[in-house]
Amino acid sequence: MNRLWICLVFVLVWLSLWESAETRRTRFKPTPPPKPKQTEKDKAIENLAPGQNINIDQMSGKWHLISVASRCKSLLQKGFKLESTTINLNVNGDTVSIGTITKLNYECWEIKQNFKTTKTPGHLFLKGRTPSENVDIFVVDTDYSSYAVLVFKRTGNITIKLYGRKGIMPDKVLDAFEDRAKTFDLGLDLVFQFPHYGFCESVDKVLEIP
């Protein structure tokens, strides 16, 4: 009889220890690390979209490049040595042709590129040689007659450009552009003002980018 009680006690103690081990394993189960908190820049990129009811046809014609907000290395290297730049925008069906005219090595060049429209009005697409070189362009704001703000997105990198029908822009438009740039973590030190004089009157050379 004593042996039977001893066996029962041994079994109960063993079960108690086994359940405690299970409880400990559950209690100390590692938890996955928390997801990194989204920054204002991340949210701005995630919510990037063209303005409402953008009519790309009304953007046809000549525009002056006023300001650029970007971390582009070439802009950072040039600093204040920027050349006046204009674009000519033409719409032909689902193709938007843009000719950029600027000075390179004291010669006036026109660089031609063809963008494709998408199902979303105000969203253009430029196919690169590789997927990492694809560029999405969003017309985020424009009144068609005086200013236009375009956002260029390439593999998470953002460049914002302000264009004007004339070479000079009111302060309120410039301020709004700089405020928009800040939401993409592009401060004033990354905003480059282009000169509004010395524009090319004619073109010396043409470069077509397929």
Side-chain angles (χ1 to χ4, degrees):
M1 189 66 178
N2 289 336
R3 290 182 178 180
L4 178 60
W5 278 108
I6 292 172
C7 289
L8 287 174
V9 169
F10 176 79
V11 170
L12 290 173
V13 170
W14 181 84
L15 287 173
S16 175
L17 291 174
W18 181 81
E19 290 175 354
S20 297
E22 286 296 311
T23 302
R24 286 196 297 272
R25 281 196 292 268
T26 302
R27 185 182 301 122
F28 294 106
K29 185 178 180 181
T31 56
K35 293 182 179 180
K37 188 177 180 180
Q38 268 194 328
T39 63
E40 185 178 5
K41 174 186 174 181
D42 295 331
K43 293 177 182 178
I45 294 176
E46 184 178 325
N47 297 325
L48 188 56
Q52 291 186 348
N53 303 319
I54 294 294
N55 186 337
I56 198 68
D57 291 302
Q58 293 186 41
M59 294 189 64
S60 297
K62 184 177 180 178
W63 294 88
H64 298 78
L65 181 58
I66 307 297
S67 294
V68 174
S70 177
R71 296 181 184 276
C72 176
K73 290 183 178 179
S74 62
L75 285 175
L76 294 171
Q77 291 170 353
K78 288 180 180 178
F80 296 103
K81 299 177 181 179
L82 300 173
E83 297 288 354
S84 53
T85 302
T86 60
I87 66 169
N88 289 311
L89 189 150
N90 295 290
V91 181
N92 185 12
D94 64 347
T95 301
V96 178
S97 300
I98 296 180
T100 301
I101 301 175
T102 190
K103 288 181 181 178
L104 297 171
N105 296 326
Y106 304 102
E107 291 184 309
C108 287
W109 283 72
E110 181 176 13
I111 303 169
K112 295 184 176 181
Q113 293 175 291
N114 291 323
F115 299 79
K116 290 294 184 182
T117 58
T118 67
K119 295 180 180 179
T120 304
H123 177 199
L124 307 178
F125 180 74
L126 178 63
K127 185 176 178 61
R129 289 172 296 180
T130 63
S132 64
E133 295 178 333
N134 293 343
V135 181
D136 289 283
I137 302 98
F138 302 89
V139 183
V140 295
D141 190 18
T142 184
D143 65 353
Y144 306 106
S145 61
S146 63
Y147 75 92
V149 180
L150 277 64
V151 177
F152 295 71
K153 177 185 175 185
R154 177 178 174 179
T155 59
N157 295 317
I158 296 294
T159 293
I160 312 174
K161 297 184 179 183
L162 171 63
Y163 293 94
R165 291 294 190 183
K166 298 180 180 179
I168 301 177
M169 192 64 59
D171 288 342
K172 65 178 182 179
V173 177
L174 294 171
D175 292 342
F177 174 79
E178 292 169 358
D179 289 341
R180 186 186 297 275
K182 288 178 183 177
T183 64
F184 292 96
D185 196 25
L186 297 170
L188 292 177
D189 57 324
L190 298 172
V191 176
F192 303 88
Q193 307 291 340
F194 279 68
H196 53 81
Y197 53 84
F199 293 98
C200 292
E201 298 296 333
S202 60
V203 174
D204 299 312
K205 295 182 179 180
V206 177
L207 174 63
E208 294 192 18
I209 300 178

